[in-house]
Amino acid sequence: MTKTIEFAQHIRTSSKARRGFRTFKRTLSVITDQLDEKLGTYGVYTPTQYQNFQEMEPKDYPKLFMFYRLEGRRVLCKSTYEGNDLHSYPPRAGNYIAHALICNIEERFNPIEVFKKATWKTIDNIRDEDDVAGVDLSIEALRVSLQENHEDTSYLKVLLEPPHEGYNRQNMFKQAVDAIINQKKVIIVDDKEMLESWMFCLLQAFPEEFVFKSLNIASFSNSNLLMEVCNVLCFEPENVEKIRRHSDYEKWEIVTKNSARGEAPYYARVLTECIAEKDGKDFAAFKREVFKEFDSTSTFSVEEFNKHARFFDELHKIGEMSEEGFVGFLSLYIKEYAKVRVIFEEIKSKKIWKKIMVFWKALKGEKPTHNLENYKFILENYSVPGETDQLWLEFEKMVVQSRDFQNNLDTLLDYYRLTKIENPQRLTTYFPKIEQIIGLIENPEIAKARINDVFNTISSLDGQSKAKLEAQLRDIEIIQQIKDANGHEKVIVLYNNRAIFKSESIQIEIEKLIGRLSWEQVFTLIKDGKRECLQYLIEHGPPITFSNVKLVSMLIKSDYREYQADIFELYSELNDKNDFLRCSPKGIQDMIFSKIFISTVPELEKYLGLYKEMIAGEIIVKKFLDVANHSEVWLLCELCYSIQNSNHLRLSQYPNIRNISDTSRNLIFNAVNDLSVEIPERYRQLAEWLSRQKYIKRLVPKSRMEEFSYDDLRSIGAIGEFKDIRKKIKGDSLSEDDLLKLVKLPWEYFCWKELCEQLSVEENREIPNLIAQIIEKFYRSRDDFKYRMWCLLACEYITYLIKYEKSKEFRYCLDIIRINWKEYEFISNRLLVIMYGTNPLYENFKQKSKGFGLSKGPSL
Amino acid sequence: MEPTKNNNQEPGVQNPLSEPVQEAQAGEPSRTSWWRRLLDFFFDNRIEELEAVNALRNGGNSITFFIDRYIFRRHCPYCYGYVSKRIYRERSRPGRHSKASGIPLHLPTLKIYECPHCSRELPSDFFASMSSSIAVIGGRDAGKSSFITVFCDILLNKPSILNELGIFGSILNPDGAEQFESNRWMLIDQNTTLSGTVEMQNPIVVRLQSKYHKRSMYITLIDSPGEHFEELSTLIAHHPTLQYADGIIFLMNPLDINGIVELIEQENPGTVPSRFERPITPNFNLVENLHKLYITTKRIDPNSQISVPTVFCLSRADLLEDVTSLYIPQDVDTNLAEVEDVMEEMELVASDLHELLEETDMRLLNLMAKSFNKYKLFPVSPLGKAPTGQAGRQTIIGGIEPKGILQPFIWLLLEFNFIKKR
């Protein structure tokens, strides 16, 4: 399998075409100016000043390979020293070619293969392409074909040869690997020939995903520049001194031949041993076994690395492990089924059966998190009757008890079938679970089938358990009977089979089976003489069974009539009074009616609604008329009048009043027939109407406002004349004569309003004075009619002032015209009729004490 | 330029734009410094509102801020960024215990002066002395690295005219010293030409002192790839503070001047490859870029001249010795001892070179006169001879014989008033 990856290219070197060290070519579509600058900066090759530099050829200089992440892209760069540059005269040393390949960060490949297979630019290529006249800057992306599973371990051997020249590279490698998996930054110091191997070795030493996520590495460096992008840098001993002064230097872990360390943890040690083929270990196997454990979801913690490496290392040694050692080893992987399986395969292949016993013991210490069937293979492969039975039983018990089977009896029975061990102890493990699951099955047919399954699977079922299951089946059938019964019969069946209910869950059971009993069912049961059923429900059932338990418990008493007061009290608290009354026997209904108290029309309306199905309408009306006050009765009269005249608007508030019978209506009209019944002002017209229709025979006093109505006023055209009122007023001020001429009967408060709006402020101030003068005049002249008329007009004027909140004028007016209590009452009655809301002046007016007293002068 | 930015500007100070720049011409050396400061004061409102500047502003009252910021202003010798005496870090000394009682002795903390831009520690006496930074710039292959290396070597190791003038110096920063040592080993010990510079080198900070006065002077020699100067955008990106340098040494490759190449070709045919085989970067472009940098960074007005003393050095002048009658003075083993003699020689050499350029590249000369207020021309030859190619490495047979290296520096030191005429 091959795959092809496309890499954008970036080449920086010295050229005549670019006149110096500049980007020679780049893939323009991918590499922006900014990226170009950075790639150029990091790719710079600064040669080391070797003591014997004069004898050295450019190819003797170490190559700089880089594998790093830059601005969300992956960069592979090869930078080589090339000796003399191409653009200077005379040519100068220091030339290099930095050729970078850039691809998407998501691409995955073997970087070493790319380093080997990619077509890297050489100085000859550059020389051929270079021209003083100029060269095209753009270059196409490079396509590299790669094999899926490319293996190249040639570098590993070079690095990990036995120690010589003071270098123990195996130890250095361990230190470096351990530091890298600990997410530290690492500087490796080694001879220039070894740097390349270090880089390639480290690129192979970790899982691919880790390499691409966490490893940014450069094979050669001699300044602190690459510290910005790489976390692993390789240095020659000559260059280390240069970067010691760098402020970040302290944060890096330095791996040199002198940096001795203690024994490395598992990953580094095992990896090194595998590469060095110590004790027959194989790096290919390590890669296969350990690397596969890591994928893009891994956390790459150091513990994870060490755990997997330890597993790889110690799996083959379990035969020699002590019991404690094996338990410790096993406990690390006990949560991973696949690994446990591998351990067992190992035990099986090496036939180290005694480890099985240790395994069982180790398992007991752990909380089982697996399905039991995962361990079935153990029994299949290993059966020593009598030796492992007891361990299996214990383990089985632990698993079965801790697991929630969620009513899945099949799984439970499958567990049982996993082994054929015959032991009564197993029954105690399984039977409670079986009982529990069957208890939850609601369908009796299924339950029956399930119980038969159990009988078939567990042959060793003892008599007691069998009886238990059969009893359970019976119970299920009875419950089905209860469910199938209708209405109150349910209760009877339940009562007859009450023995099957256990006291601890009885309430829930009853709630599930019966739900709430309607009053109809309750009264049917009482009628049928099944009081003991109800008593049973009251005692054992949940509170929800009855809408009022106390009431039911009183009703079932044979002498319930003695508790009339209590029953009525409980009845009045009921939410479903209607149901109760409808279903209750006549005796109880009468008892309730005798107790109710209705004083307002809304209440009456409510009761009429309640009892409209019954004949109780007149009784209710009578009860109302007995206690209601006059205004309420008048209101009712008005509603009756509305019925008569089909005034639906008025009746919409009281829909049940419409059903009032003729008899009841007569009752109501009779109630106001009495002379002692006061007629409020607002009902005066109604009373007159009733009188005219001969519904009542009493005398109805005449209304004071009878003669004046708005329509009359309009008909005489008084308001129309206000339009040119200013013309009528001689001079600039309103005189007594003007007022006398203008104001005619009927003259209500709104006429005053019209007049005052037409007048100027000064004239408005004049009005109270004028009125006072006119009243005085007519009083003196003993013209009684006109005097009374003007008193009335004065009251209307004050009404106008209050209604339209003319506070200033009002106070001024009261200073001049003093009113007596009679007039005060008149005004307040007028205001009662005409005021829809209220205002501060009106509130003030209603408090009689404030500023009102008996008039000194003439009064009405 | 935004004069309103400076909130601490004294009332009554006129808008500097209204004043003609030509007024700020060099007069007496003692006045030069004063004019320069005044010009900087007016023309440098560009300094970024960095944290350090804010800290400075918050640290004291507005008068002290004004004095620090505009009168006693200093630039970092490493990056030319703005530094102040009042921006420092306190470092406690390691605790000690008195021998008798074991009671710890609390010593006063140390003040460490640091550049807020590049975070490098400044020399302890930095604020007590005069400080000037000199940037060595030039196109690629102009010999900047060699020039700096040879200058430091003469200063540190060789008897020269500087010794006669009572001037001595040392490299302050370890990075710079290491850089110098590495190049010196290659160039002087191994007699091999230096590799092309491909990345920014550590700056070399040199402290110069004189036995005749108390002042010391810091000069920063910055070596960077010549490619940086060829495009304005690259120049700004890599040298964001170059325009704050107090002096400029501009090295020119003679092979980039066609007239000179032709002269050499006439005299010694075949020594220099033809222009079709070798890319040329006209020095004109580099000088123009430098001028543009000053304008872009609002250091000067578009129509005005750069007032920083600038030396244009024709590098590899040894190539021309045979061709023309160009005289390049020796740096070591010279018999000159007086400043006046040196000045006289400088004038001579400069006028020679001026004549040569008049013949070969008049356009460049005109640009220099247009863009620079104070400049001088010198021929230099750090190696003293042409290297010969051997197996990929150019070696200098018989070792280097530097010529004319010190003259540009002496001229600059005269401009900075560090060397006084008697």
Side-chain angles (χ1 to χ4, degrees), chain B residues 124-401:
Chain B
S124 52
D125 58 348
F126 180 72
F127 291 101
S129 335
M130 188 178 164
S131 151
S132 292
S133 44
I134 296 169
V136 179
I137 61 176
R140 71 195 155 72
D141 214 3
K144 296 176 289 296
S145 311
S146 306
F147 180 81
I148 291 171
T149 308
V150 172
F151 166 72
C152 292
D153 186 50
I154 293 171
L155 181 71
L156 301 183
N157 304 329
K158 300 268 162 60
S160 67
I161 179 74
L162 290 177
N163 297 355
E164 299 292 331
L165 298 174
I167 292 170
F168 57 97
S170 56
I171 297 176
L172 286 181
N173 55 334
D175 289 340
E178 189 179 293
Q179 182 75 39
F180 163 68
E181 268 310 315
S182 157
N183 284 347
R184 197 196 64 80
W185 177 78
M186 187 68 108
L187 190 66
I188 294 159
D189 292 354
Q190 301 293 323
N191 291 335
T192 310
T193 54
L194 297 174
S195 302
T197 309
V198 288
E199 55 184 339
M200 279 292 282
Q201 301 292 330
N202 290 318
I204 299 174
V205 180
V206 176
R207 177 166 48 203
L208 289 185
Q209 283 165 292
S210 170
K211 70 175 181 183
Y212 295 116
H213 52 77
K214 287 179 185 172
R215 284 194 303 179
S216 52
M217 179 166 167
Y218 297 92
I219 57 176
T220 311
L221 302 163
I222 295 179
D223 187 13
S224 57
E227 284 86 347
H228 288 177
F229 299 98
E230 293 184 18
E231 280 168 28
L232 185 64
S233 56
T234 324
L235 179 62
I236 292 173
H238 288 276
H239 300 271
T241 48
L242 179 70
Q243 66 278 14
Y244 295 114
D246 296 307
I248 298 170
I249 293 176
F250 191 104
L251 289 174
M252 299 183 291
N253 186 354
L255 298 184
D256 282 342
I257 299 171
N258 277 328
I260 293 178
V261 175
E262 279 165 19
L263 282 178
I264 297 171
E265 197 58 23
Q266 280 169 14
E267 198 70 26
N268 302 320
T271 47
V272 185
S274 77
R275 68 157 76 174
F276 303 107
E277 291 168 24
R278 212 175 56 79
I280 282 178
T281 311
N283 287 307
F284 186 88
N285 294 2
L286 304 182
V287 176
E288 209 169 32
N289 277 343
L290 186 65
H291 192 235
K292 277 182 196 161
L293 172 75
Y294 271 75
I295 296 169
T296 314
T297 54
K298 297 189 176 175
R299 194 78 176 127
I300 58 166
D301 208 34
N303 286 322
S304 53
Q305 292 171 304
I306 297 173
S307 57
V308 174
T310 308
V311 190
F312 291 95
C313 296
L314 194 69
S315 179
R316 299 191 190 183
D318 52 278
L319 276 175
L320 303 171
E321 270 186 317
D322 308 334
V323 180
T324 64
S325 56
L326 192 69
Y327 166 68
I328 318 172
Q330 291 284 335
D331 284 323
V332 289
D333 301 328
T334 172
N335 48 10
L336 296 177
E338 295 299 324
V339 182
E340 282 72 17
D341 299 341
V342 179
M343 284 172 71
E344 198 178 311
E345 197 178 62
M346 280 194 310
E347 287 299 329
L348 196 68
V349 169
S351 63
D352 269 8
L353 186 57
H354 203 277
E355 275 170 29
L356 178 66
L357 280 180
E358 269 176 7
E359 288 168 26
T360 53
D361 200 347
M362 194 62 196
R363 185 162 156 259
L364 179 63
L365 266 187
N366 289 340
L367 180 68
M368 287 175 189
K370 168 84 184 354
S371 307
F372 291 87
N373 189 11
K374 273 180 287 179
Y375 71 97
K376 206 83 177 168
L377 290 159
F378 292 107
V380 296
S381 173
L383 307 185
K385 58 182 84 162
T388 47
Q390 255 187 8
R393 278 274 175 188
Q394 298 283 326
T395 49
I396 307 139
I397 297 162
I400 61 163
E401 290 167 18

